[in-house]
Amino acid sequence: MSVGRDNRIIAFCCEKSAYLAADRAGRMRLCYPDNVRIIRVPCAGRVGTLHILRAFEEGAAGVLVMGCQEGACQHLTGNLRARDRVRYAAALLREVGMDGERVKMVNLAPDTAEKFVRAVKDMAEEIKER
Amino acid sequence: MIIAERKRFEEIRSMLAGYKKILVVGCGTCVTICWAGGEKEVGILASQLRLASNKVGDELTILEATVERQCEREMVEEVKDKVQQVEAIVSMACGVGVQTMADMFEGKPVFPALNTTFMGMPEGEGVWTEKCGGCGDCMLYWTGGICPVVRCAKGLLNGPCGGTRRGGKCEIDPEKDCAWVLIYRRLEKQGRLDLMRKYYEPKNYRAVKRPGKVQAMQA
């Protein structure tokens, strides 16, 4: 197994925000890279550090954890926990000599389809450059 | 409880040079609570080791396990089957757990993934502070429940030292409270300030106390 062998981006999407934004992007026929795989989660806080590391173990090139804007989490602090775990995961990746920029936290509202598309495109670009 | 923290990843990795199949074992008690060596941390370390190995094309198979308490032989016995399959063991327990594993499986090298630091308690989320040094001669009765052996930077038994900073902070580390100021305030609250006048003899560190052994009476 090698990192990024599939060039896939795994996007963990909170069902209250990012998943709806992704759905809206589809309805608006907005184009974004086809190497992204969306995983719906009840809250970004459901994503653990180990989920992120395992995604890379399985060959992902990049991981996005996408949740509600800060202050708007239905579970109050789920998105804040996710933010801290993404930071931790980035540090763990750097410890093993990998690029910590391959994992990012994105906060967005459910109607911001363009922001969803922008985040995915930015990660795809980042992966291509590294 | 015992507080530990994980060693630097590079240090752990360097211990495993040349090994192709290992077992990473966590402990479900103290080190789980202080986020150092529980089931989650076992998973994280194993994942990091796999990522690092894959990056350079090394072959490394990792088995994972967590026992309830790695200092109890009956519980460590549970991983016997996995131990037989590997070349080496990485223990994510405190020093006691590492040594229990090493004693039980003498034929396999056991490597510590943690540095055991002190006995302490949580002060806030993710923050633990030292409370007890295991000196074997508890004087907490005289000091209102505040241990000067570990909480005073100088370990004074008849403090304060005279260097206490403004605000009751320690001369050595201005971010820490002077233990003897804390002791004074505690005894004052309890109406036991007369204990400040007690002279405490120096602890006798010459007597051989290591390795310690306690024989408890059965109830």
Side-chain angles (χ1 to χ4, degrees):
Chain A
M1 268 186 266
S2 60
V3 173
R5 73 179 191 284
D6 298 330
N7 226 33
R8 249 184 274 187
I9 298 168
I10 304 298
F12 293 99
C13 293
C14 163
E15 66 182 12
K16 308 286 189 305
S17 54
Y19 194 77
L20 296 176
D23 192 58
R24 190 178 169 86
R27 282 187 274 116
M28 289 169 67
R29 302 286 185 264
L30 298 177
C31 290
Y32 56 87
D34 63 357
N35 58 331
V36 64
R37 297 291 181 271
I38 293 171
I39 299 177
R40 189 176 80 173
V41 291
C43 173
R46 182 64 184 91
V47 181
T49 310
L50 205 43
H51 292 128
I52 298 171
L53 293 182
R54 289 257 196 268
F56 286 108
E57 272 193 75
E58 294 298 320
V63 172
L64 291 167
V65 179
M66 306 176 92
C68 300
Q69 289 168 323
E70 291 189 9
C73 176
Q74 197 163 333
H75 301 280
L76 303 180
T77 56
N79 53 359
L80 302 179
R81 289 173 189 270
R83 177 196 64 195
D84 292 344
R85 285 174 196 153
V86 165
R87 263 189 215 142
Y88 182 42
L92 293 171
L93 290 174
R94 281 191 291 271
E95 269 193 325
V96 302
M98 285 173 58
D99 188 0
E101 295 301 310
R102 288 181 180 269
V103 58
K104 281 198 171 36
M105 176 77 203
V106 180
N107 301 91
L108 40 64
D111 58 349
T112 53
E114 295 86 355
K115 192 170 179 185
F116 171 83
V117 168
R118 180 82 262 136
V120 171
K121 281 182 173 172
D122 285 348
M123 179 56 86
E125 272 309 305
E126 190 123 12
I127 288 166
K128 252 193 239 163
E129 285 166 16
R130 292 177 191 276
Chain B
M1 58 182 214
I2 295 174
I3 309 299
E5 49 188 5
R6 211 197 69 179
K7 285 179 177 287
R8 281 175 40 254
F9 179 73
E10 273 313 310
E11 187 183 348
I12 299 172
R13 189 129 190 274
S14 67
M15 293 180 208
L16 298 172
Y19 292 100
K20 294 201 175 352
K21 196 168 183 186
I22 64 167
L23 170 65
V24 180
V25 193
C27 177
T29 319
C30 301
V31 293
T32 290
I33 300 168
C34 66
W35 302 348
E39 187 176 348
K40 209 187 297 187
E41 288 75 32
V42 166
I44 287 173
L45 179 61
S47 191
Q48 281 189 292
L49 287 168
R50 279 189 287 263
L51 284 169
S53 300
N54 291 338
K55 199 165 180 284
V56 296
D58 279 348
E59 184 195 323
L60 182 61
T61 304
I62 304 173
L63 304 185
E64 300 172 34
T66 302
V67 298
E68 185 61 32
R69 271 201 301 286
Q70 224 179 97
C71 50
E72 300 261 13
R73 289 175 180 269
E74 293 84 353
M75 294 179 182
V76 169
E77 191 78 28
E78 293 165 10
V79 296
K80 189 173 56 175
D81 292 338
K82 285 189 176 174
V83 169
Q84 282 167 359
Q85 301 172 48
V86 301
E87 298 167 326
I89 302 166
V90 176
S91 167
M92 295 195 81
C94 69
V96 181
V98 177
Q99 292 184 70
T100 307
M101 293 287 296
D103 286 347
M104 287 194 61
F105 306 111
E106 282 186 317
K108 306 275 179 180
V110 180
F111 304 126
L114 308 186
N115 290 323
T116 306
T117 49
F118 51 73
M119 286 185 274
M121 63 167 273
E123 292 288 346
E125 200 173 327
V127 181
W128 293 274
T129 53
E130 186 173 14
K131 295 291 187 190
C132 175
C135 69
D137 183 14
C138 193
M139 57 188 288
L140 289 174
Y141 167 78
W142 308 107
T143 56
I146 294 167
C147 177
V149 176
V150 296
R151 294 176 69 177
C152 170
K154 298 177 184 177
L156 298 173
L157 305 185
N158 297 284
C161 63
T164 309
R165 292 173 193 254
R166 189 183 292 277
K169 295 296 181 186
C170 174
E171 177 181 51
I172 308 287
D173 184 349
E175 303 216 348
K176 296 204 169 87
D177 292 321
C178 167
W180 280 98
V181 169
L182 296 176
I183 291 169
Y184 181 91
R185 288 185 183 142
R186 180 69 61 79
L187 291 175
E188 189 179 37
K189 265 190 201 161
Q190 295 176 358
R192 298 162 74 212
L193 270 178
D194 54 304
L195 290 174
M196 288 294 293
R197 293 191 184 280
K198 176 185 161 58
Y199 172 68
Y200 217 91
E201 296 277 338
K203 282 187 187 286
N204 181 9
Y205 291 108
R206 285 178 300 172
V208 175
K209 283 193 171 190
R210 299 244 157 98
K213 185 167 182 170
V214 169
Q215 177 72 57
M217 288 175 61
Q218 289 274 308

